[in-house]
Amino acid sequence: KQTHADVRFSTPLDSLELLTDSARLQQVLINLLINATKFTSQGSITLQLEQQTEDTALFSVTDTGTGIPKEKQKKKLNENAQGTGLGLSICQLIIEQLGGSIWIDPDYEEGSRFLFTHPIDKSDQGKEETR
C-alpha cells in the first residue's frame, strides 16, 4: 500500500456468490483502491460490500482523503484519456459491461466515496463464478 491510512474491508454478509468476470471485477476494485491511496495519506480507506436488493450487490470505496469538489464529480467518471481520469473511465466501462452502474457519492464530504452496483446473477452471460 502507498499510504499510512488504515485499509479495511467491511460487510454485514456471511457470504455472497456473484457470477461475474472476476478479472474485470478485480481490475475495478484495485483501480478504485489504488486511486484512494493516492489521495489519502492518513485516515482510512474502506471497501464495503452489501446486498442492495435481492438481485444487486453494492460495492463502495470510501476514503478520508482530499475529496473531489462537487463541481468536478460528474466529469471525473467521464474524463477521456487525459491524466488520472482514464482509470475511472475504464472502471465505468467495465461496470456497465457487467450490468451495473458506478457513481461518486455527492453527499459524502469527508473525502471521496465511489459506489457501484453489480447484478448478483449473471449466469445468462456464461462468466466464471467468484466468491
Side-chain angles (χ1 to χ4, degrees), residues 42-59:
Q42 311 243 344
S44 65
I45 299 167
T46 304
L47 168 61
Q48 185 163 350
L49 171 61
E50 302 173 34
Q51 188 166 343
Q52 185 179 42
T53 68
E54 185 177 317
D55 302 323
T56 308
L58 177 66
F59 291 83

Side-chain angles (χ1 to χ4, degrees), residues 21-74:
D21 182 333
S22 61
R24 293 291 171 234
L25 180 58
Q26 285 178 27
Q27 183 179 1
V28 169
L29 291 171
I30 289 168
N31 191 323
L32 292 176
L33 289 167
I34 287 174
N35 236 21
T37 66
K38 290 178 184 175
F39 299 100
T40 310
S41 58
Q42 311 243 344
S44 65
I45 299 167
T46 304
L47 168 61
Q48 185 163 350
L49 171 61
E50 302 173 34
Q51 188 166 343
Q52 185 179 42
T53 68
E54 185 177 317
D55 302 323
T56 308
L58 177 66
F59 291 83
S60 64
V61 175
T62 304
D63 67 59
T64 59
T66 57
I68 303 168
K70 283 192 180 199
E71 63 274 8
K72 293 186 178 180
Q73 289 180 4
K74 289 194 189 260

Side-chain angles (χ1 to χ4, degrees), residues 18-32 47 52 56-61 77 87-104 114-120 122 125 127:
L18 292 178
L19 294 174
T20 190
D21 182 333
S22 61
R24 293 291 171 234
L25 180 58
Q26 285 178 27
Q27 183 179 1
V28 169
L29 291 171
I30 289 168
N31 191 323
L32 292 176
L47 168 61
Q52 185 179 42
T56 308
L58 177 66
F59 291 83
S60 64
V61 175
L77 288 169
L88 294 174
S89 296
I90 291 171
C91 287
Q92 183 173 27
L93 292 171
I94 291 170
I95 292 303
E96 289 174 356
Q97 181 183 19
L98 294 174
S101 58
I102 185 170
W103 67 97
I104 300 170
F114 288 82
L115 300 103
F116 69 90
T117 56
H118 188 297
I120 290 175
K122 295 284 286 179
Q125 294 192 6
K127 302 290 183 182

